[in-house]
Amino acid sequence: MSHLNDMALFVEVARARSFRKAAEALGMPNSTLSRRISALEKAIGLRLLHRTTRKIELTEAGQLYYERSKRIVDEARLAHEQLGAMLEQPSGVLRVSLPVDFATLYLTPIIVDFVRHYPGITFEFDLTPRRVDLVAEPFDVAIRIGELEDSSLIARLIGRHARHLYASPGYIEASDEPATPADLAEHECICMPKIWALHQGMNKVEVEVGGRFTVNSVGMIRALAVDHQGIALLAEKIVAEDLASGRLRRVLPEWQGSSVSIHAVTETRLIPAKAQRFIEFLSARLVET
């Protein structure tokens, strides 16, 4: 295996019938090329080239070695070219585990855009709330929100979204608008979790909130807030349409919640091109807002 590179050098010399021309094509010193070929001959135990001051000729062994080596080198070059094309336009089935609410409320348009860029990829998405086992199950990547559990998996931070406080105009009209974070304790807050960490510049507070609804679904929290059931702490991307339509509005606009991290998790760093492009595509679009 250590002589495969020297085999490729020999093929170039044999094709050019000249060390000088081969060295120029390879971009290496003539003396280095000559020394590598001599080392190859020594390792094989046979002379491959007849060297004269005017030209180079293949020996009988050299001709046989060239014919065999040329096929190997050409196959290797073709493999590299095909892999390069695969990197540019990857194909195959991409299996991804996605958070249900995040995928349906926000990721779908990004994925549709990704499809337009990479028409050779087909998809299998798992939107169940469970955390899939990337080692035991055939997933290429899992997108996970929030804090990660310690594990041997490879996690790439691909985005971070700030969260803000929102309520419907109907709720604000019925319950008055909070003037400070401390006022949230007197309001119906749609909770996940029950302690909200808020900051205004360098000022940071933690507020214990409560209400009739404790929910672990971002989609349901959003729906309850739109339906006048309380104040929600959500990423702006999730409620963009509700803000534009007036169904929701910012509460305590000078304060915001802690950012939520978004990770792409894989079993190994050596991932197929289709997964690599998907992660890069998401990362370019999941900028903090």
Side-chain angles (χ1 to χ4, degrees):
M1 293 296 291
S2 62
H3 299 298
L4 287 177
N5 287 335
D6 290 340
M7 178 191 292
L9 298 180
F10 169 76
V11 169
E12 291 298 326
V13 173
R15 280 174 174 161
R17 290 296 197 273
S18 165
F19 277 101
R20 180 180 59 79
K21 291 180 180 179
E24 290 176 356
L26 292 166
M28 64 189 305
N30 191 357
S31 58
T32 300
L33 180 58
S34 179
R35 186 171 63 252
R36 295 278 293 273
I37 298 303
S38 295
L40 178 63
E41 289 177 318
K42 184 177 180 180
I44 294 173
L46 292 170
R47 183 174 292 279
L48 302 175
L49 299 171
H50 286 305
R51 299 169 175 83
T52 70
T53 56
R54 294 184 178 181
K55 61 181 180 179
I56 290 175
E57 295 289 346
L58 294 173
T59 65
E60 183 180 357
Q63 184 64 40
L64 177 62
Y65 191 71
Y66 170 68
E67 291 172 359
R68 299 288 179 86
S69 299
K70 179 180 179 298
R71 287 198 295 269
I72 296 171
V73 172
D74 288 345
E75 285 289 337
R77 182 177 291 112
L78 178 61
H80 278 280
E81 290 173 355
Q82 290 175 339
L83 287 174
M86 184 182 295
L87 285 172
E88 290 298 322
Q89 285 296 329
S91 60
V93 180
L94 180 63
R95 297 175 175 87
V96 187
S97 171
L98 296 167
V100 179
D101 294 324
F102 189 64
T104 54
L105 295 174
Y106 179 57
L107 280 187
T108 299
I110 299 176
I111 292 171
V112 170
D113 194 19
F114 179 79
V115 168
R116 287 194 288 265
H117 283 77
Y118 299 99
I121 299 177
T122 56
F123 304 87
E124 289 184 9
F125 292 133
D126 184 307
L127 271 66
T128 58
R130 70 187 180 90
R131 291 212 164 194
V132 300
D133 187 340
L134 289 171
V135 176
E137 299 179 70
F139 287 95
D140 296 298
V141 59
I143 304 302
R144 292 179 178 167
I145 309 297
E147 296 299 320
L148 295 176
E149 299 174 355
D150 292 335
S151 74
S152 60
L153 300 175
I154 306 301
R156 300 168 177 84
L157 181 65
I158 61 173
R160 197 186 297 275
H161 283 179
R163 295 179 297 169
H164 303 281
L165 297 165
Y166 301 98
S168 69
Y171 174 82
I172 294 300
E173 183 178 349
S175 305
D176 293 331
E177 186 167 356
T180 69
D183 293 340
L184 293 171
E186 306 302 321
H187 279 265
E188 285 289 329
C189 294
I190 309 168
C191 305
M192 187 184 69
K194 289 183 176 292
I195 301 293
W196 285 355
L198 306 173
H199 66 272
Q200 178 195 47
M202 299 300 293
N203 298 323
K204 298 181 180 180
V205 298
E206 288 190 351
V207 183
E208 184 173 356
V209 296
R212 287 170 290 177
F213 299 101
T214 300
V215 186
N216 65 352
S217 164
V218 171
M220 189 171 183
I221 291 174
R222 168 181 169 267
L224 288 169
V226 168
D227 206 24
H228 322 302
Q229 296 304 305
I231 299 173
L233 180 61
L234 294 167
E236 184 174 348
K237 292 287 187 180
I238 298 297
V239 297
E241 292 184 3
D242 300 312
L243 289 173
S245 67
R247 291 190 296 267
L248 291 177
R249 52 172 284 194
R250 284 277 297 272
V251 175
L252 294 172
E254 69 277 15
W255 291 86
Q256 68 180 50
S258 56
S259 296
V260 176
S261 58
I262 307 164
H263 288 87
V265 183
T266 58
E267 179 191 0
T268 174
R269 295 186 187 279
L270 299 175
I271 58 176
K274 58 190 176 183
Q276 182 177 331
R277 292 292 176 267
F278 184 69
I279 292 171
E280 292 169 351
F281 199 88
L282 292 186
S283 181
R285 285 155 178 77
L286 295 178
V287 293
E288 184 169 2
T289 56

